Amino acid sequence: MSLGHACVDVYQGAVAALVPYFVAERAYSYAAASGVVLAASLLSSLVQPLFGVLTDRWAMPWLLPLSALAAGAGVGLCGVTGSYALTLAVVAVSGAGVAAYHPEAARAARAVAGGRHTGMSWFSFGGNAGFALAPLLVLGVMSLGGLGVSPLLAVPAVVGAALCAAAVRSAGAGTGKAGAPPAGGRDDWPSFLRLSGAVICRSVVFVGLSAFVSLYVRERTGGGEAAGTAALCVLYAGGAAGTLAGGRLAERYGRTAVVRRSYALTVPAVAGVVLVPGPPVFLFVALASAGLYVPFSLHITLGQDFLPRRVGTASGVTLGLAVSAGGLAAPALGALADATSLRTALLPLIALPAVGRLLLCRLREPGPPGTAAVGRGNARDAAGR
């Protein structure tokens, strides 16, 4: 499941990694380039909760390999399309493939993990590793001939489809839990909506950095293409490590405590990315990555536990609408950058993690299905049991 997740989420990272090449080869403005990021996010954000609702009603394991192929096909075609409109269309197809994958995959992964936070963190690690590898994949393919050879980017999708098919067969035969009906319990919509609001804040920061940190670091360090690619790799690779750390920290300190502290860390980290000059920017990119990614898998399981009767819906929202909502802000950031500067456009990202932290104040740790929310210590005991 983790390896298949990597092969799907490499295409979320690839769209942002392609932005500098659209600017260089097609002379896209910042706003136009960020529109490509929006195209990947918008359709995904709209339809992923719908797929979540569907998976609450029916098991659809066949979606996993099919969605992997769709995600790869869209990104593979984006460099050979003849117009801006067609580029947006094929990138949107990729976003739809990503949307179809996550709700069913998150349900199956949690069943296989037996509900443990570390198990879900390994599943999330796969997706974040795919993000981390995306800039290197794009750099390697683009070095062979620029956007004209973008169909080669579809190769991981074929591998991912095979891995997903194998994982579905193994999970279904080995546990009998994949696609099981939702657990009982009472849905806590107020807590879920507060969590989703915080994740939207996180999403805007992450998408904004993903879209522009490569270009921004080039400007700040004068290191050229290599420096920009390195910054994007640090952003994604730090996230992969942070996701694994998040699962372990949650089993020791409780999910809500870890999530709140991560949002607090993100505020000064993003400030350092935007304001600190020279090579130290890479350190702050790494810190921002940790702050953004430590709570990543915890968002998923918290959402599922807040809505125990609608696990697919919760997965679709936390992985889809809330996560992809940051893409809606990308064109606004791009337009602001065109009108002023990249630095000015990135300044609002400093405040958003603080807003997310405020939304998480007094958010209680959800108990096992069918129980009321519990305190941090009891939640750890429940997780241990």
Side-chain angles (χ1 to χ4, degrees):
M1 293 294 296
S2 183
L3 290 172
H5 196 186
C7 290
V8 173
D9 276 9
V10 72
Y11 295 108
Q12 294 198 80
V15 174
L18 284 165
V19 164
Y21 299 96
F22 286 125
V23 172
E25 295 188 29
R26 295 184 178 177
Y28 285 177
S29 66
Y30 290 140
S34 61
V36 178
V37 179
L38 171 63
S41 301
L42 181 59
L43 186 60
S44 178
S45 67
L46 293 175
V47 304
Q48 192 154 282
L50 173 61
F51 280 109
V53 172
L54 293 176
T55 58
D56 280 335
R57 293 177 176 270
W58 304 285
M60 295 188 291
W62 50 268
L63 269 179
L64 302 187
L66 181 63
S67 59
L69 293 174
V75 168
L77 292 172
C78 72
V80 295
T81 49
S83 69
Y84 183 67
L86 282 175
T87 300
L88 297 182
V90 295
V91 169
V93 169
S94 179
V98 171
Y101 172 83
H102 281 102
E104 182 70 18
R107 175 195 292 279
R110 192 163 194 197
V112 172
R116 291 188 62 82
H117 304 320
T118 49
M120 281 300 290
S121 70
W122 274 106
F123 170 71
S124 298
F125 169 80
N128 295 331
F131 261 108
L133 292 172
L136 298 177
L137 173 67
V138 169
L139 178 64
V141 171
M142 293 299 102
S143 67
L144 299 177
L147 290 173
V149 296
S150 66
L152 292 176
L153 293 172
V155 171
V158 179
V159 178
L163 288 168
C164 289
V168 166
R169 287 195 299 269
S170 176
T175 69
K177 296 178 183 178
R186 187 181 65 180
D187 292 336
D188 183 357
W189 282 101
S191 295
F192 180 76
L193 292 175
R194 287 168 60 193
L195 174 69
S196 297
V199 178
I200 288 172
C201 293
R202 181 259 181 205
S203 173
V204 175
V205 176
F206 177 72
V207 173
L209 290 178
S210 296
F212 297 116
V213 74
S214 179
L215 293 168
Y216 187 64
V217 169
R218 289 187 194 187
E219 291 183 2
R220 297 282 284 176
T221 65
E225 184 177 289
T229 299
L232 200 56
C233 286
V234 169
L235 179 67
Y236 292 161
T243 301
L244 288 180
R248 293 189 177 276
L249 289 170
E251 292 195 342
R252 182 170 183 178
Y253 299 108
R255 289 174 292 180
T256 54
V258 172
V259 170
R260 282 193 289 261
R261 291 169 186 171
S262 298
Y263 276 73
L265 167 67
T266 304
V267 177
V270 175
V273 173
V274 179
L275 301 175
V276 174
V281 70
F282 290 101
L283 172 62
F284 286 102
V285 170
L287 291 174
S289 177
L292 291 167
Y293 268 108
V294 163
F296 187 83
S297 67
L298 309 181
H299 291 149
I300 303 170
T301 59
L302 280 169
Q304 290 173 338
D305 288 346
F306 283 135
L307 299 184
R309 293 181 178 273
R310 296 173 175 83
V311 171
T313 301
S315 301
V317 172
T318 52
L319 283 166
L321 181 60
V323 176
S324 301
L328 300 175
L333 294 174
L336 181 59
D338 285 330
T340 56
S341 67
L342 264 180
R343 183 180 183 180
T344 301
L346 294 176
L347 282 173
L349 302 184
I350 299 172
L352 284 172
V355 176
R357 174 65 180 81
L358 289 174
L359 289 170
L360 294 168
C361 285
R362 295 188 296 277
L363 190 70
R364 296 183 298 171
E365 185 84 25
T371 69
V374 296
R376 186 179 68 184
N378 290 338
R380 292 200 303 270
D381 293 342
R385 291 196 295 270

